[in-house]
Amino acid sequence: MYIKTFFIFTFLSLFTLKIYPNNNDIIILTGEYPPYSSQLIPGNGIAVEIVKKVCELANLNCSLQFLPWLRCEYLIENGKAFAAFPYAYSDERKEKYFYSEPIFFADPYIFIYKDKIKISSEISLNEIKKLDLTIGIIRGSFYSEYFQNLKIKFEESSDYSSLLKKLLNNRIDAIVEGIIVLKSEIKSLKLPNLDRIKSIRISDFKNTGNMLIVSKKYPNNQEILEKMNSAIKKLKNNGTIDKIIKKYN
């Protein structure tokens, strides 16, 4: 009974947490997704630094807050926050949110044991389907929509440590994730036998744009989004975004 009550309380608390903006600040949310966004690294990550620059250039007072990803999406969908980042495009999300201009581009890869695929450069989703693999992904990632449409088997996990342990214990055949993100996790976790894993670019996901998802219910959303999009374009053109990305190697 205690365990059941605990989980009910935890679930409800996720949706009753309050956020505290200063004055009339525009509320922008993110979660743990190193090296793009994290409270545990200097500068809080590539995407966070870019969004701060966007707000500064657009002359917007932004209140940036870290919350669980599920909580971020709940607040955006209900108009309690203006935007959350970084998110890749999916048709399902398009129904719920507006999208900003991309703030950076990433290349998702498939991570798999070296002896399972002889291809070394690129692979398509259709080729992955033919191999009849079970793919591990992070819960809520945009890959699930593609896999469902193509009937590719997949399992979701809440964190990268769980994904990698499943792969190492042969509970899944591969992982699909952005190469920078997963290599960062691999380096930090120091799990055994990771040298047996190779990464292959997925041709369908080349240069995937990562954006802010914007609430369709937030006051003055179109006006704010227009200012942010203009700032994003300027920061791309003047090289600021490239400089931030290079700083993180």
Side-chain angles (χ1 to χ4, degrees):
M1 182 66 185
Y2 170 79
I3 294 174
K4 183 178 179 181
T5 304
F6 172 78
F7 279 109
I8 291 172
F9 175 79
T10 302
F11 178 79
L12 290 175
S13 67
L14 181 64
F15 294 95
T16 55
L17 286 169
K18 293 183 179 180
I19 54 177
Y20 299 97
N22 295 318
N23 302 321
N24 294 317
D25 287 357
I26 295 161
I27 305 164
I28 300 179
L29 310 174
T30 190
E32 288 295 322
Y33 190 55
Y36 293 109
S37 57
S38 177
Q39 296 180 90
L40 306 176
I41 57 179
N44 293 135
I46 296 168
V48 172
E49 289 206 31
I50 292 171
V51 170
K52 285 179 179 178
K53 286 289 185 183
V54 169
C55 291
E56 182 183 328
L57 184 59
N59 198 26
L60 297 169
N61 294 321
C62 298
S63 175
L64 179 63
Q65 302 179 35
F66 281 83
L67 289 173
W69 291 110
L70 183 60
R71 175 69 173 160
C72 290
E73 293 182 32
Y74 173 81
L75 291 168
I76 300 302
E77 196 169 347
N78 288 277
K80 304 297 184 183
F82 169 68
F85 69 93
Y87 283 82
Y89 176 88
S90 76
D91 290 336
E92 184 180 338
R93 288 175 183 164
K94 184 69 174 176
E95 294 296 314
K96 298 178 182 179
Y97 320 110
F98 297 125
Y99 278 101
S100 74
E101 288 284 315
I103 54 174
F104 67 88
F105 293 86
D107 283 347
Y109 277 58
I110 183 169
F111 291 77
I112 192 165
Y113 281 129
K114 293 176 181 178
D115 57 355
K116 287 205 172 183
I117 297 182
K118 294 182 180 180
I119 299 168
S120 59
S121 55
E122 282 190 358
I123 190 170
S124 70
L125 289 176
N126 281 324
E127 288 174 309
I128 292 172
K129 180 183 177 180
K130 288 175 184 176
L131 291 168
D132 194 30
L133 304 172
T134 299
I135 309 296
I137 62 173
I138 288 293
R139 185 169 290 108
S141 65
F142 80 101
Y143 311 115
S144 62
E145 186 175 318
Y146 288 86
F147 295 162
Q148 285 170 354
N149 291 339
L150 289 169
K151 294 183 171 55
I152 294 174
K153 292 181 290 186
F154 68 95
E155 282 190 22
E156 296 180 303
S157 293
S158 57
D159 60 79
Y160 294 101
S161 176
S162 297
L163 276 183
L164 286 163
K165 286 175 182 176
K166 283 181 181 180
L167 179 61
L168 293 171
N169 292 322
N170 294 309
R171 290 171 57 194
I172 55 176
D173 299 304
I175 296 170
V176 168
E177 183 52 88
I179 190 164
I180 293 176
V181 174
L182 201 62
K183 282 195 171 181
S184 173
E185 290 295 329
I186 286 171
K187 184 178 179 182
S188 65
L189 290 170
K190 298 178 181 178
L191 295 171
N193 300 320
L194 290 173
D195 58 330
R196 294 175 56 201
I197 300 171
K198 70 175 177 178
S199 54
I200 306 168
R201 187 199 302 266
I202 301 173
S203 56
D204 306 68
F205 294 145
K206 270 186 182 178
N207 294 319
T208 297
N210 283 259
M211 300 153 276
L212 294 97
I213 54 170
V214 174
S215 174
K216 292 186 175 182
K217 297 180 180 179
Y218 197 84
N220 303 317
N221 53 9
Q222 292 292 348
E223 180 185 345
I224 299 167
L225 180 56
E226 188 176 330
K227 289 180 180 179
M228 294 193 80
N229 280 338
S230 177
I232 292 168
K233 290 175 183 176
K234 287 177 182 177
L235 292 172
K236 284 179 185 174
N237 292 336
N238 67 20
T240 300
I241 289 178
D242 284 340
K243 286 179 183 176
I244 292 171
I245 292 170
K246 286 177 182 176
K247 187 174 81 170
Y248 285 83
N249 294 317

